[in-house]
C-alpha cells in the first residue's frame, strides 16, 4: 500500500506520469483458534496464524478487551499470534 503514489519518467524535454494504486489484500486466518481445556492453576496458550505478518491483533474475552498483565501475555512472531493465560481459574472459561 505504501507504494501507492504518482510515478514519472523524465527525459528532459518531456515527462510521462502515471498513478499507481495498490489494493491491500484482506488479512485472513490461516489457522484459527482451537478449543482448549486446562486444570486450574496451569497456563494456557491460545494460538492463531494470520495470512499477513505484523497484522495488529486485539485479544478479547467475550466482549471485554484484554490488556497485557501478569495474567495475560501477548506474543506475535511473523504471522503467528499467541495469548498466554497464566494461573487459569474457572472464571477464565
Amino acid at each position: 500500500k505504501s507504494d501507492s503514489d504518482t510515478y514519472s519518467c523524465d527525459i528532459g524535454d518531456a515527462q510521462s506520469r502515471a498513478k499507481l494504486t495498490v489494493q491491500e489484500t484482506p488479512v485472513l486466518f490461516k489457522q484459527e483458534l482451537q478449543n482448549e481445556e486446562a486444570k486450574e492453576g496451569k497456563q494456557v496458550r491460545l494460538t492463531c496464524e494470520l495470512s499477513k505478518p505484523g497484522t495488529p491483533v486485539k485479544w478479547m474475552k467475550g466482549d471485554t478487551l484484554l490488556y497485557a498483565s501478569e495474567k495475560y501475555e501477548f506474543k506475535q512472531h511473523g504471522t503467528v499470534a499467541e495469548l498466554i493465560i497464566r494461573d487459569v481459574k474457572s472464571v477464565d472459561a
Side-chain angles (χ1 to χ4, degrees):
K1 183 104 176 142
S2 64
D3 291 321
S4 293
D5 207 337
T6 300
Y7 291 83
S8 61
C9 181
D10 191 328
I11 58 171
D13 293 337
Q15 194 176 61
S16 179
R17 294 178 187 259
K19 183 176 180 181
L20 172 64
T21 304
V22 179
Q23 297 176 350
E24 285 189 271
T25 56
V27 178
L28 303 172
F29 286 102
K30 290 174 74 176
Q31 179 185 339
E32 295 194 13
L33 293 172
Q34 301 296 310
N35 294 335
E36 296 286 340
E37 287 187 25
K39 293 185 186 254
E40 278 192 316
K42 297 293 183 184
Q43 176 176 292
V44 173
R45 183 181 307 259
L46 300 175
T47 304
C48 62
E49 186 174 1
L50 310 168
S51 61
K52 239 185 201 179
T55 300
V57 172
K58 290 191 299 187
W59 288 97
M60 301 182 74
K61 178 186 177 205
D63 293 331
T64 304
L65 182 63
L66 300 179
Y67 296 94
S69 64
E70 288 184 24
K71 178 80 171 173
Y72 302 112
E73 181 181 352
F74 311 129
K75 292 185 177 182
Q76 196 162 352
H77 306 285
T79 58
V80 177
E82 294 180 319
L83 167 62
I84 298 166
I85 307 171
R86 294 185 184 89
D87 190 25
V88 295
K89 308 278 187 223
S90 58
V91 296
D92 293 316

